[in-house]
Amino acid sequence: MQRRQFLQSALALSAVRFARGAETFDLAAIERPRVLKAAARYLSEQPVTVTAAGSPRSAGGKHDFFSEGDYWWPDPQNPDGPYIQRDGMSNPDNFVEHRRAMVRLSLIVPALAAAYKITRERKYADRAARHLRAWFVDDATRMNPNLQFAQAIKGRFTGRGTGIIDTLHLVEVARAAGQLDLAPTDLGGVRKWFAAYAEWMNTHPYGIAERDAKNNHGTCWVTQVAAFAQLTGDAKLTAYCRNRLQTALIPNQEAPDGSFPEELRRTKPYGYSLFNLDAMAIAAQTLSTREDDLWKWQLPDGRGMAKAVAYMYPFMLDKKKWPLPPDVMYDKEWPVRQPCLLFAGLALKRPEYLALWRKLDPDPTVEEVLRNFPVRQPVLWV
């Protein structure tokens, strides 16, 4: 099944087109210059994993991923005491080196995989394989397959289930790994790591709590597990994620108008709405089959992926129409080239979505935007 999906994807690379009148949408042609430019730069980059930096505030070891809760700050009334929350306001003094290293990985490996898919030149796949081995296989540099110490809060928690959202950047890495024609030992090692991590996400209390979250955290759990199960060939877990999208994510998160009320309540409602929509779109793209197309599926009342994208589209097209106050931080940086527009545009035959997707920035450089924009190489996805 996995090989058939890969062959279908490879054939689709040169054939993905959507015509409207005299216009033709050719994704490979659109992306080729951008992909090859990035890949040329990454050919000289060396792997950097979690073992390259550490924090004295981490309760974990050298191989454990560590991050700190974004919106938690020192208490002015008790500077040495537990941190206090300021929702939507990121603390610039938090430890972020592991997160940066993972985002870097998520930029390099997918770009090299996309270049390999377009050109079939081994140099791209071989360089990507070095990064994958460093992160997931080699004993000296590999990351432990858990997030026991992610999004810690000084004086309160050494780690939290919400930290699992940090590995959303491994979704496109996993997607890339399945399309690189890796050596059997490399592919086996990478699959073993992702299988172990998916098992941890399904059995540890942190993972279970994150799975059951009613907002973007629950969405990102499904998005990740679906991608990791696809790479490892876990059909049972894939089916579970598909069912969860249909029976938990959309029924519990999407309002009748297609909005996500839990995201609208935040101090950054625009950015969070886009983020949740993209995460759900990535899951739908991963889990859709010819027999079960999640882009066309909907609840009896009409809620589904199509309605969710339709709700946000006018506000991506013209942000001035957004009915809520601006986000407290990074408001001007959104939207970028959101993958939900591409996936929905192709699946639902909506040329206006594709036209907008082409106009938006595919390569944002603001760190916070990159952190909430986990799919950047669409040729790996359609």
Side-chain angles (χ1 to χ4, degrees), residues 2 194 198 224-239 241:
Q2 190 173 43
F194 278 100
Q224 291 186 64
V225 174
F228 306 156
Q230 184 183 64
L231 175 63
T232 61
D234 191 329
K236 183 177 179 181
L237 199 51
T238 298
C241 289

Side-chain angles (χ1 to χ4, degrees), residues 48-267:
V48 176
T49 77
V50 295
T51 60
S55 169
R57 294 190 293 277
S58 173
K62 180 179 180 181
H63 296 269
D64 290 308
F65 181 96
F66 176 69
S67 66
E68 295 182 287
D70 296 279
Y71 308 142
W72 292 84
W73 297 67
D75 184 352
Q77 306 302 319
N78 184 17
D80 295 324
Y83 279 10
I84 60 174
Q85 188 176 30
R86 295 170 61 185
D87 188 37
M89 306 295 291
S90 296
N91 182 351
D93 294 326
N94 282 342
F95 178 80
V96 294
E97 294 309 309
H98 288 176
R99 186 182 282 168
R100 284 174 175 165
M102 187 171 287
V103 170
R104 179 177 180 270
L105 174 75
S106 76
L107 289 167
I108 292 174
V109 169
L112 292 169
Y116 174 65
K117 192 172 181 181
I118 288 172
T119 67
R120 310 311 293 177
E121 293 184 28
R122 282 299 318 173
K123 63 182 180 180
Y124 299 118
D126 292 344
R127 177 57 67 165
R130 292 184 63 178
H131 291 268
L132 293 172
R133 284 194 297 270
W135 271 87
F136 307 118
V137 182
D138 294 345
D139 289 338
T141 55
R142 70 193 292 267
M143 172 184 158
N144 286 334
N146 65 71
L147 251 66
Q148 191 83 26
F149 307 102
Q151 294 213 13
I153 302 174
K154 182 182 176 181
R156 297 181 184 273
F157 304 102
T158 58
R160 296 180 296 156
T162 54
I164 290 173
I165 205 168
D166 284 343
T167 47
L168 185 64
H169 290 279
L170 295 183
V171 165
E172 195 165 59
V173 173
R175 185 85 176 190
Q179 301 181 52
L180 280 166
D181 293 332
L182 296 172
T185 53
D186 290 342
L187 182 58
V190 172
R191 282 176 170 168
K192 181 179 178 181
W193 191 96
F194 278 100
Y197 183 46
E199 174 71 14
W200 183 86
M201 289 179 69
N202 275 276
T203 55
H204 192 276
Y206 286 177
I208 294 170
E210 193 74 345
R211 178 199 67 194
D212 294 341
K214 305 300 184 184
N215 61 359
N216 64 83
H217 284 267
T219 304
C220 289
W221 187 96
V222 172
T223 303
Q224 291 186 64
V225 174
F228 306 156
Q230 184 183 64
L231 175 63
T232 61
D234 191 329
K236 183 177 179 181
L237 199 51
T238 298
Y240 176 81
C241 289
R242 184 180 297 111
N243 177 264
R244 190 152 187 87
L245 187 147
Q246 294 174 305
T247 62
L249 297 189
I250 290 176
N252 294 338
Q253 293 194 37
E254 187 175 331
D257 64 355
S259 67
F260 299 123
E262 288 298 317
E263 314 308 327
L264 296 178
R265 293 190 181 98
R266 303 297 296 271
T267 59

